[in-house]
Amino acid sequence: FFIGFPLLLLAYLMNQGGLTKRGRVMEGIFWFVLLPLIFVLILSMANLSWDELAVRSWCGREMLNGSILVFALMHPIEFVWFYRGDMKDGPIRMRSFAGLMILFLGVFASTVGSLGKKLTMVDPEPVMSMAQGVAMPGGIMARLDLFLIAFWIVGVFCVFSGYLFYGNESIKHAFSKGRIVGLSLSYGGIYVISPWIMTTFATWIRRYFFVFIYGNLVIGLFFPLILFLMWRKEQKDEKI
């Protein structure tokens, strides 16, 4: 209650201001968290083993399976966060998207280069282990993984509030009279079922990880399509 309710209230107040207000808040949070993460990645270069990053063999099937899994883990709905509606600068900001891909590649290279391929594969939290092995010059701070813990906490809030914002925007456009119902079901529903999500559902995800990930991928692709078709139908009905 003391953590979830304030976060839910903050997400609601932020999202009610529309895309511009949400963008301003996310922009401030983004730089507050991203700069320490980049600092950790730069310091990790001292521990890199370029031999571990060398590619000595390549399998097309493994590459395809890995690419699909990465796409499923990111979730296609998250690509909507790079969409800016009818803003004058255009719908998609590819420079932001490319920057995110470079950041992911940097985390991957720092982790594999620091821990090695074998340890990265068996370690349940390899990125945190990479940060724990990074040393700050002068020994000012011993545990740089604190930066990544902060990054994860704020990142969860950004993802969680983003789903609520775009989910409610979709419901609002698909159902002209469904705004209040959508807000009640989304914000209130998450608050009510969060204890179940954190316990029973989390255990189920760990047990059936791939079923959840790929099921989530299918829902993420078809649910927005269904809402879009319903919106198109409503637009046609209004014209008639």
Side-chain angles (χ1 to χ4, degrees), residues 30 34 82 93-105:
F30 176 80
L34 188 68
F82 298 93
R93 193 168 183 83
M94 295 306 296
R95 188 172 64 183
S96 301
F97 182 72
L100 181 65
M101 294 300 103
I102 292 172
L103 177 65
F104 283 162
L105 286 172

Side-chain angles (χ1 to χ4, degrees), residues 65-85:
N65 291 338
S67 300
I68 294 173
L69 179 58
V70 169
F71 180 65
L73 286 168
M74 287 187 65
H75 199 290
I77 286 182
E78 293 179 11
F79 287 114
V80 176
W81 297 346
F82 298 93
Y83 177 69
R84 297 174 296 167

